[in-house]
């Protein structure tokens, strides 16, 4: 399955990496690795074929929510990533 990022999500990732790096060196890289793991978990969900609405998933270890939608059986669109 392809993972697509909206332009908003790309900007959110850049901003959050700067925020987390400002808190502690290399925390931005930890955030990026955690984000990849969280997206992998989203991809493993079995009920995604039924969902046609934006869903939200929290990210362990970071105060972040990932907003996403399964566009079809082949594409996951990450719409935004918000710090909570």
């Amino acid at each position: 399955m392809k993972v697509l990022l909206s332009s908003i999500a790309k900007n959110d990732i850049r901003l959050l990496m700067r925020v987390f790096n400002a808190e502690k060196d290399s925390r931005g890289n930890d955030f990026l690795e955690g984000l990849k793991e969280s997206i992998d978990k989203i991809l493993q969900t079995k009920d995604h074929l039924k969902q046609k609405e934006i869903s939200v998933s929290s990210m362990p270890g970071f105060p972040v929510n990932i907003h996403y939608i399964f566009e079809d059986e082949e594409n996951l669109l990450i719409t935004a990533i918000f710090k909570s």
Side-chain angles (χ1 to χ4, degrees):
M1 182 172 283
K2 280 188 184 178
V3 176
L4 308 171
L5 295 173
S6 71
S7 58
I8 293 170
K10 288 177 186 177
N11 289 334
D12 292 343
I13 292 168
R14 287 184 197 111
L15 175 65
L16 289 169
M17 285 189 68
R18 283 190 298 237
V19 167
F20 291 127
N21 273 332
E23 291 177 4
K24 181 182 173 190
D25 283 344
S26 78
R27 187 144 193 248
N29 290 334
D30 295 341
F31 162 73
L32 200 54
E33 288 303 314
L35 179 62
K36 290 176 187 176
E37 291 172 11
S38 294
I39 291 172
D40 285 342
K41 287 180 185 175
I42 291 169
L43 290 171
Q44 292 173 7
T45 60
K46 299 295 182 196
D47 61 332
H48 68 269
L49 297 177
K50 299 176 188 173
Q51 296 177 353
K52 297 295 179 189
E53 299 176 2
I54 292 182
S55 300
V56 179
S57 177
S58 60
M59 196 173 140
F62 289 89
V64 171
N65 290 321
I66 303 166
H67 295 245
Y68 64 94
I69 187 167
F70 287 95
E71 290 186 321
D72 53 36
E73 292 148 13
E74 298 176 9
N75 296 306
L76 168 66
L77 174 64
I78 307 296
T79 58
I81 303 170
F82 293 111
K83 187 174 182 207
S84 51

